[in-house]
Amino acid sequence: MTAFTTDQPAFRFYQGHRPLLISMPHVGTYVPPALAQRLTAEARQVPDTDWHLERLYAFARDMGASILVATHSRYVIDLNRPPDGASLYPGQSVTGLCPVDTFDDTPLYVDGQGPDEAEIAQRRAAVWAPYHACLQAELQRLRAAHGVALLWDAHSIRSVLPRFFEGKLPDLNLGTADGASCDPALAQRLLAIAQAAPGHTAVLNGRFKGGHITRHHGQPAQNIHAVQLEMTQCSYMQEALPFDYLPEVAARIQPTVQQLIEAMLAFAEAA
């Protein structure tokens, strides 16, 4: 067995004062050195990262939202997968709890040096569990303080990925677990804002319906409403190395993202 250890905390957390938590489970890039040595040269570039979302959502801290940011790469462990690794999209190609391949379906590990069940359990305890404990505790705190808690799970992805979908993905992919994770009126309000984004496309519960975080924590009957936004990276950055942030491109979509967050807060305060 290869033992897993890390010298970095599982997350960075900024506590706000309004009833919204923004989760960023795939922005992390850290891979412990001993693990990085087992990865291919391509994998060490962590290309499947949700790059620059902290910068894109920088306005949210000023608005008073709480923000939870992953530090470790999804190649260490995917924080948006169930702890047992069950598929979120049965019958479709997906990456696992501790992935062994990239989004382009190339191996992550040299010579099959992927993790065994014991190492997966260590990664889960060291990284997955602390992130989810913080997420759960903050949602409970927000609901206790405000009577309602809202969760926004922030993601981004390359706009063309044949492994997962045909053609080009819509730019703004809202997911509410087919309506199970948040109030339907809120979902329709968000969709209307997204569809009005100049020069961009939007869909609700299309190819991406929300991952484990949205599905597990969204409990409208308990006054916890969760929404995932999976947005195309071409809306704000370069989709290939060096994955640069493109301020002029981002400036066209950022007002819409801010309107979406404002709508979440307006719903919470009306509730």
Side-chain angles (χ1 to χ4, degrees), residues 169-199:
L169 192 69
D171 295 307
L172 300 168
N173 300 268
L174 294 161
T176 64
D178 285 327
S181 71
C182 86
D183 184 284
L186 172 59
Q188 289 303 313
R189 174 62 183 143
L190 296 170
L191 179 60
I193 292 170
Q195 288 178 329

Side-chain angles (χ1 to χ4, degrees), residues 112-174:
Q113 298 182 61
D116 59 17
E117 288 302 317
E119 184 182 354
I120 290 172
Q122 291 173 339
R123 297 189 198 184
R124 190 165 49 230
V127 181
W128 192 99
Y131 188 92
H132 282 265
C134 181
L135 196 161
Q136 178 70 20
E138 181 61 5
L139 289 176
Q140 295 300 322
R141 185 191 74 83
L142 292 175
R143 187 178 60 176
H146 302 280
V148 61
L150 278 80
L151 171 62
W152 183 266
D153 209 41
H155 296 261
S156 70
I157 194 169
R158 278 180 281 159
S159 60
V160 177
L161 271 171
R163 176 179 177 182
F164 300 133
F165 47 83
E166 295 181 2
K168 184 177 184 293
L169 192 69
D171 295 307
L172 300 168
N173 300 268
L174 294 161

Side-chain angles (χ1 to χ4, degrees), residues 19-86:
L20 173 66
L21 171 62
I22 298 177
S23 162
M24 300 182 183
H26 291 154
V27 301
T29 57
Y30 183 68
V31 179
L35 174 56
Q37 290 177 2
R38 294 156 54 193
L39 299 181
T40 67
E42 177 193 9
R44 288 195 292 272
Q45 301 284 339
V46 291
D48 300 326
T49 299
D50 292 7
W51 302 99
H52 308 299
L53 287 186
E54 280 188 276
R55 183 170 179 179
L56 189 71
Y57 282 86
F59 62 84
R61 286 185 69 179
D62 294 334
M63 293 171 65
S66 297
I67 302 176
L68 178 61
V69 181
T71 55
H72 289 64
S73 169
R74 68 188 303 154
Y75 292 167
V76 177
I77 193 163
D78 192 327
L79 299 170
N80 203 27
R81 297 290 183 272
D84 63 359

